[in-house]
Amino acid sequence: MSLQQGRSRRSYRRGRVAVVAIMSILAVTLSACASGSTGASTAAGGRIRVVAAENFWGSIARQLGGDRVSVTSIISNPNADPHSYEPTPGDGRTVATAQLVVLNGIGYDPWTQQLLAANPTSGRTVLNVGDLVGVPVGGNPHRWYDPTNVGQVIAQITADYRAIDPKDAAYFNNRRQVYEHVDLAPYNALISTIRTKYAGTPIGASESIVSPLAQALGLNMLTPASFLQAISEGSDPTAADKATIDQQISTRQIAIYVYNSQNATPDVAAQVAAAKANHIPVATVTETLVPVNRTFQAWQVGELQGIESALAKATGR
């Protein structure tokens, strides 16, 4: 099933999550009883066992932890919709044995909270990104597209690693320094360059996933916020919003159009086609890592380069 098909069935699928969560409870309880396990445990070799709900946070956690951690990302398939993912009993067992769980929150991955509630343990740390950055349910959940929030998550994961494994605190501090100042250097440089060169440039977008990044880049988002939210949540946009966007494209009020290629609804596909027909450069982003084995920073740099190229073509700068 494609990501968009998953979104169109979101309400139905959410109703099934509770059933699967119960299956997870039973599976984990039976497993714990058989093994005598009563809490989170370390991975082989004494590494911290980490579970990330999504692979973009998992990539960061893996790089910050190095050989002192073992990281499992539950959402790694580009066609899986994190909003309405159905957890498996295996996911329940994975969460039950984790020492650190990283979830996005903000209503993006509610199934993670269900797994945590179904498998309580005193030996587990939970990092809820929404809670960390102060964005409540109902806010824009796409915090991995906000560089400031990414920095907050990096700091908190490092702090959690130090608390779980104090003897390796210096190692984790060093990993953070390398990640922030070396690995993320191209990412940070592109953000700074685009903001300096193209701040204020009007753009259009397919959904709210682009909004945090557009703000960080200083770009002027003209697409109605209600349309961005509707597409992100899998609901139908209003005719008025679609008419507004059609006019913005036909009169070239926007310099570029950015869309999530993993969520190309018929409305979005029509806007992409219209933008190209009106010689408006188009750039793409994705919801999760593409390809799945890419690092967070390589993924983001690739997307930023696409946006920069589109802006250069549109403005001649």
Side-chain angles (χ1 to χ4, degrees), residues 126-148:
V126 176
L127 169 51
N128 183 315
V129 173
D131 290 346
L132 174 69
V133 304
V135 178
V137 174
N140 190 323
H142 307 101
R143 306 327 305 171
W144 60 100
Y145 274 104
D146 184 319
T148 298

Side-chain angles (χ1 to χ4, degrees), residues 75-89:
I75 297 290
S76 59
N77 185 339
N79 290 323
D81 182 1
H83 296 265
S84 56
Y85 177 73
E86 295 178 15
T88 68

Side-chain angles (χ1 to χ4, degrees), residues 9-213:
R9 299 182 182 181
R10 184 170 301 152
S11 59
Y12 167 72
R13 290 165 66 94
R14 278 181 175 167
R16 297 179 59 194
V17 168
V19 175
V20 179
I22 291 173
M23 292 171 59
S24 297
I25 295 171
L26 293 174
V28 173
T29 300
L30 290 172
S31 176
C33 289
S35 65
S37 174
T38 58
S41 60
T42 56
R47 293 174 293 165
I48 300 172
R49 191 183 298 274
V50 184
V51 174
E54 298 87 14
N55 63 1
F56 38 81
W57 296 130
S59 174
I60 293 174
R62 181 175 292 106
Q63 294 177 83
L64 290 172
D67 60 13
R68 305 298 199 276
V69 305
S70 174
V71 179
T72 299
S73 295
I74 294 177
I75 297 290
S76 59
N77 185 339
N79 290 323
D81 182 1
H83 296 265
S84 56
Y85 177 73
E86 295 178 15
T88 68
D91 295 332
R93 289 189 292 270
T94 299
V95 169
T97 59
Q99 290 178 279
L100 172 63
V101 175
V102 183
L103 63 126
N104 193 77
I106 322 175
Y108 188 74
D109 43 16
W111 48 270
T112 313
Q113 297 280 21
Q114 291 177 315
L115 291 181
L116 289 168
N119 303 294
T121 175
S122 59
R124 181 173 60 212
T125 300
V126 176
L127 169 51
N128 183 315
V129 173
D131 290 346
L132 174 69
V133 304
V135 178
V137 174
N140 190 323
H142 307 101
R143 306 327 305 171
W144 60 100
Y145 274 104
D146 184 319
T148 298
N149 290 167
V150 169
Q152 291 173 279
V153 172
I154 290 169
Q156 188 59 53
I157 289 176
T158 302
D160 288 339
Y161 284 164
R162 292 198 308 261
I164 295 168
D165 180 13
K167 72 180 186 305
D168 285 321
Y171 174 84
F172 294 127
N173 287 336
N174 182 67
R175 295 290 301 184
R176 176 185 173 182
Q177 290 297 313
V178 171
Y179 189 62
E180 289 182 326
H181 299 292
V182 179
D183 298 333
L184 287 181
Y187 165 78
N188 292 324
L190 271 170
I191 290 170
S192 177
T193 296
I194 294 171
R195 186 177 184 91
T196 299
K197 199 168 184 178
Y198 301 108
T201 303
I203 72 167
S206 67
E207 62 167 283
S208 64
I209 193 173
V210 183
S211 299
L213 183 59

